[in-house]
Amino acid sequence: MKGYTILLVEDDLMIGDLLQKILQREGYTVCWETSGERVVELIRKMDLVIMDVMLPGEDGYQLSKKIKDLGLNIPVIFLSARTDMDSKLEGLAIGEDYMIKPFDPRELLLRIKKMLKTQYGTFTQIKHLSIDTEHNKVFNRSLQNEVSFTSIERKLFFYLFENRNRILTKEHFYEYLWQLEDRSQNIVNVHIKKLRAKIDDPTGEIIQNIYGEGYRLNTHIKNELKK
């Protein structure tokens, strides 16, 4: 499941450490927090949230409501020792899944895999773009055609996509694509400019320039067709 980033919010250090290791072993990038203080700050970089219900400060239900209030369609799996039906129904009404502690990590992994497939499938929608991650193709739904990339543009786009919502420095791009190129020739900026033109992203909303740091491909943007 390469490329997916999971926010794990769990204040039990033993459970959190175990889950982080298991998820990382499966190929996920994991951000582990022991409270909900930074959830709103971090959430736009995440593809899925695994969250304990009983947390110091705001509980998991309150935090999930904040995520939904931001207009972000990011799935939440609740973990809880509460076994009563009312708690479970409340969790399923607010989030997408609810698991009772203790649980078998293999069951959690299967639920994560199914949820990611349901949520994102082999296609990911970003504004007017539809991205086929199985065949490494990008479609412009506004123009109703496939985006025509050169070989290097395709590699560049899907490198950004695999690291979506994270800042990549120019050094990252050189190491991945242009190890033998003269780094004084501004080759990264030139190719990013061409890539933006290909995907009809003139303002850099999808491929954003983070001044002084690098570039980031944003996925948590309202999906819409350009008129």
Side-chain angles (χ1 to χ4, degrees):
M1 303 301 290
K2 183 179 179 182
Y4 288 107
T5 302
I6 294 176
L7 176 60
L8 172 63
V9 190
E10 172 59 71
D11 63 329
D12 186 307
L13 299 183
M14 185 177 295
I15 294 175
D17 183 60
L18 176 63
L19 289 180
Q20 183 181 46
K21 288 176 180 175
I22 290 172
L23 292 168
Q24 288 175 336
R25 193 160 58 234
E26 290 295 311
Y28 299 107
T29 298
V30 181
C31 177
W32 175 24
E33 295 288 315
T34 56
S35 75
E37 289 182 8
R38 298 207 308 145
V39 165
V40 172
E41 174 188 342
L42 297 170
I43 192 60
R44 293 183 187 276
K45 301 176 183 178
M46 305 299 154
D47 298 301
L48 181 140
V49 181
I50 300 172
M51 184 152 49
D52 189 16
V53 173
M54 297 302 293
L55 293 166
E58 293 180 294
D59 66 26
Y61 294 159
Q62 292 171 310
L63 292 167
S64 183
K65 288 176 182 176
K66 280 190 171 182
I67 293 171
K68 306 304 181 187
D69 287 345
L70 291 172
L72 302 175
N73 189 24
I74 300 172
V76 176
I77 299 176
F78 288 118
L79 307 178
S80 178
R82 296 176 179 176
T83 60
D84 63 284
M85 184 54 67
D86 286 343
S87 294
K88 187 172 183 179
L89 290 175
E90 185 179 4
L92 290 172
I94 298 170
E96 281 64 45
D97 205 348
Y98 185 100
M99 290 194 68
I100 296 173
K101 297 177 180 178
F103 54 84
D104 190 321
R106 292 173 297 179
E107 181 183 356
L108 176 61
L109 289 174
L110 184 59
R111 292 192 187 205
I112 291 169
K113 188 174 182 179
K114 283 192 168 185
M115 187 167 293
L116 289 171
K117 185 175 181 180
T118 299
Q119 184 75 12
Y120 303 108
T122 60
F123 283 83
T124 298
Q125 311 298 328
I126 307 176
K127 292 200 73 178
H128 56 284
L129 300 180
S130 183
I131 300 162
D132 180 351
T133 56
E134 184 175 353
H135 302 99
N136 279 12
K137 293 182 178 181
V138 179
F139 299 89
N140 186 323
R141 291 180 293 140
S142 295
L143 301 177
Q144 297 186 342
N145 63 14
E146 181 182 346
V147 178
S148 177
F149 290 132
T150 64
S151 175
I152 197 72
E153 287 167 351
R154 192 178 306 277
K155 288 178 181 178
L156 177 58
F157 180 87
F158 281 96
Y159 180 56
L160 280 158
F161 183 77
E162 285 184 2
N163 293 279
R164 55 193 175 276
N165 303 310
R166 289 182 292 223
I167 299 172
L168 295 175
T169 66
K170 288 186 178 180
E171 196 64 30
H172 285 120
F173 294 113
Y174 280 119
E175 287 298 317
Y176 184 70
L177 289 169
W178 296 293
Q179 292 186 17
L180 302 179
E181 294 290 337
D182 181 354
R183 302 192 180 196
S184 67
Q185 297 303 309
N186 218 19
I187 194 169
V188 175
N189 292 4
V190 170
H191 278 83
I192 290 290
K193 185 177 180 180
K194 290 180 179 179
L195 196 58
R196 281 175 173 161
K198 288 286 184 75
I199 65 173
D200 194 13
D201 180 36
T203 63
E205 187 177 6
I206 299 173
I207 301 177
Q208 183 181 3
N209 179 14
I210 309 300
Y211 184 75
E213 297 185 61
Y215 293 96
R216 179 177 64 206
L217 188 144
N218 298 312
T219 61
H220 300 310
I221 307 171
K222 183 179 179 182
N223 294 332
E224 58 185 21
L225 292 180
K226 298 180 69 177
K227 296 178 180 179

